[in-house]
Amino acid sequence: MTVIDIPGSKSVTARALFLAAAAEGTTTLQRPLVSDDTEGFAEGLTALGYAVGRETDAWHIEGRPAGPGADTADVYCRDGATTARFLPTLAAAGHGTYRFDASAQMRRRPLGPLSTALRTLGVDLRHGVKDGHHPLDVHARGVKGGALTLDAGQSSQYLTALLMLGPLTAEGLDITVTDLVSEPYVEITLAMMRGFGAEITREDGREGRTYRVAPTGYRARTYGIEPDASTASYFFAAAALEPGRSVTVPGLGTGALQGDLGFVDVLRRMGADVEITEAGTTVRSTGTLRGLTVNMRDISDTMPTLAAIAPFADGPVRIEDVANTRVKECDRLDACAENLRRLGITVETGPDWIEIHPGTPTGPVEIATHGDHRIVMSFAVTALRTPGITFDDPGCVKKTFPDFHRVFHRYAHTA
């Protein structure tokens, strides 16, 4: 059995940075993820006037409940979607003028529903080039609060940003959601907000689900970051793929916040042996991978992981309800189909689904990564059974797991 220590969760680290910055007092984050995305978030906080101290295994953030310490700031969000969506929302609660921009990749990704919601709340938010996209300016003067309706069918991050804003408003926030994708990520948000002292209730009605957030503010605390479940999926998939192999990820067990741990349930349905305890999760190969049809709406970040091992199943693998993967770092659904076809695999796609037929991937093939870390890490699993796979941009894994290639190589060569 191989034990893999997975870096901290990107999703949890980003939320914790927001909550720590908004809290009264100094928060210590234990074992935060150190990657391009999270470093970009921390640098953004520093630019806005928050004090961020970084040690090897702990970051210390001095909270500012009244908002950014700087009156003006230019913030570059890099490729980070959480940075690009959370920081303008945090800045809106303060007082000043803040300009946000991002990489060309992030500029292409949509922001419109969040921009519209913030404007509904009275935030003076202006897009510089294309409405609903970066760059943007926030002329902040605090947020009174109130009620709004939100379509979060494209990204749950819109809802998360607004939920985290709620306790910083003067009167609280009522958010009615008409559509929602990746709901487990919202559950992470709610659990973490409550951990920092927020009060939220939820009601399901005819118009949709309404979240009511009280104007409580946040309280600083010491907060441990759990391992990243999306990153763990590559090692779990590798264990399921290779006869005689098993992988244990400690710290990611029955109490885990992240919905992407649900990926191991997909592997179980395909024939893998899965054990989840309080201490961690173990996946063992049984020598069989069965085809299946699976809805991955709630765990769509692991769609490429499943696509990458799908050819080795004994029947077709059909992944449904993943339209939102088309507006990630790249169009992940098409990127998976493109690369599998390069490997000689028969693939069919639709607006929100992909079906992959059994076959033997053959190299040599250079995987077109489209600068997307998840495409690289997913097809690294395929490469375990397919000699000759290379990547046109292997370094893009720095977004979430800079040390991925070394760790995965070590796993691949461990008996």
Side-chain angles (χ1 to χ4, degrees):
M1 179 179 67
T2 303
V3 177
I4 301 289
D5 288 317
I6 298 294
S9 164
K10 181 187 75 166
S11 302
V12 174
T13 301
R15 286 160 175 77
L17 285 168
F18 182 113
L19 298 171
E24 181 72 49
T26 299
T27 291
T28 296
L29 305 183
Q30 299 173 330
R31 301 176 304 281
L33 173 65
V34 180
S35 72
D36 194 66
D37 268 15
T38 58
E39 288 182 336
F41 200 119
E43 287 178 7
L45 287 177
T46 300
L48 289 168
Y50 296 91
V52 180
R54 288 186 260 181
E55 301 175 38
T56 302
D57 289 320
W59 289 0
H60 309 281
I61 299 92
E62 293 182 23
R64 296 187 56 86
D71 294 329
T72 62
D74 287 311
V75 178
Y76 182 63
C77 300
R78 304 190 190 184
D79 284 336
T82 50
T83 309
R85 292 163 178 168
F86 293 178
L87 285 186
T89 308
L90 175 65
H95 291 79
T97 300
Y98 311 106
R99 176 176 173 78
F100 297 88
D101 202 353
S103 68
Q105 183 190 74
M106 191 59 227
R107 277 188 171 200
R108 289 191 296 269
R109 297 181 67 178
L111 196 69
L114 178 59
S115 301
T116 299
L118 290 171
R119 286 169 174 159
T120 299
L121 294 173
V123 176
D124 184 353
L125 185 152
R126 308 170 193 177
H127 289 279
V129 176
K130 182 181 178 183
D131 199 51
H133 294 264
H134 277 274
L136 61 91
D137 293 339
V138 176
H139 300 268
R141 52 181 184 273
V143 180
K144 180 180 178 182
L148 61 88
T149 300
L150 177 72
D151 182 342
Q154 202 172 52
S155 173
S156 64
Q157 289 177 2
Y158 307 146
L159 176 57
T160 281
L162 293 165
L163 286 169
M164 292 194 297
L165 172 65
L168 303 178
T169 63
E171 298 179 359
L173 203 54
D174 287 2
I175 309 168
T176 299
V177 182
T178 58
D179 192 17
L180 177 60
V181 71
S182 302
E183 186 174 351
Y185 282 95
V186 178
E187 294 302 318
I188 295 174
T189 303
L190 297 175
M192 292 184 65
M193 287 174 64
R194 290 180 177 122
F196 278 80
E199 297 175 8
I200 314 107
T201 59
R202 185 174 67 191
E203 296 177 11
D204 291 323
R206 228 182 282 177
E207 302 301 319
R209 176 172 294 170
T210 298
Y211 297 87
R212 292 192 165 86
V213 188
T216 55
Y218 294 107
R219 296 186 299 274
R221 56 170 295 182
T222 297
Y223 191 88
I225 307 296
E226 68 186 33
D228 193 296
S230 306
T231 299
S233 74
Y234 312 114
F235 296 90
F236 291 143
L241 179 63
E242 296 190 282
R245 298 298 296 266
S246 68
V247 162
T248 295
V249 175
L252 195 63
T254 51
L257 293 174
Q258 299 162 82
D260 275 5
L261 184 57
F263 179 72
V264 299
D265 294 326
V266 179
L267 295 176
R268 181 188 281 123
R269 287 180 57 193
M270 296 180 77
D273 180 39
V274 176
E275 181 183 8
I276 305 175
T277 68
E278 287 186 12
T281 296
T282 300
V283 174
R284 300 180 183 86
S285 171
T286 61
T288 299
L289 276 183
R290 293 190 292 268
L292 82 170
T293 296
V294 58
N295 185 309
M296 298 189 81
R297 178 181 178 88
D298 285 341
I299 56 171
S300 60
D301 274 351
T302 62
M303 179 278 289
T305 320
L306 179 57
I309 63 170
F312 304 103
D314 63 8
V317 171
R318 183 181 174 92
I319 305 169
E320 298 181 335
D321 208 359
V322 287
N324 69 310
T325 64
R326 292 190 178 277
V327 291
K328 297 287 187 174
E329 282 81 346
C330 70
D331 183 332
R332 286 180 178 160
L333 199 151
D334 274 359
C336 287
E338 168 197 2
N339 285 305
L340 288 168
R341 288 173 181 139
R342 287 185 179 189
L343 290 162
I345 302 301
T346 299
V347 182
E348 302 161 48
T349 62
D352 68 346
W353 59 270
I354 181 171
E355 185 166 315
I356 302 151
H357 293 261
T360 301
T362 55
V365 167
E366 183 178 71
I367 298 297
T369 65
H370 302 279
D372 190 330
H373 57 131
R374 299 214 181 279
I375 298 300
V376 175
M377 292 188 278
S378 296
F379 280 91
V381 183
T382 313
L384 292 172
R385 297 269 293 270
T386 310
I389 285 182
T390 57
F391 302 95
D392 63 6
D393 184 10
C396 66
V397 296
K398 67 182 181 181
K399 181 177 175 69
T400 50
F401 193 175
D403 208 23
F404 172 78
H405 293 294
R406 185 189 65 81
V407 175
F408 198 76
H409 181 270
R410 187 178 65 196
Y411 160 80
H413 292 85
T414 300

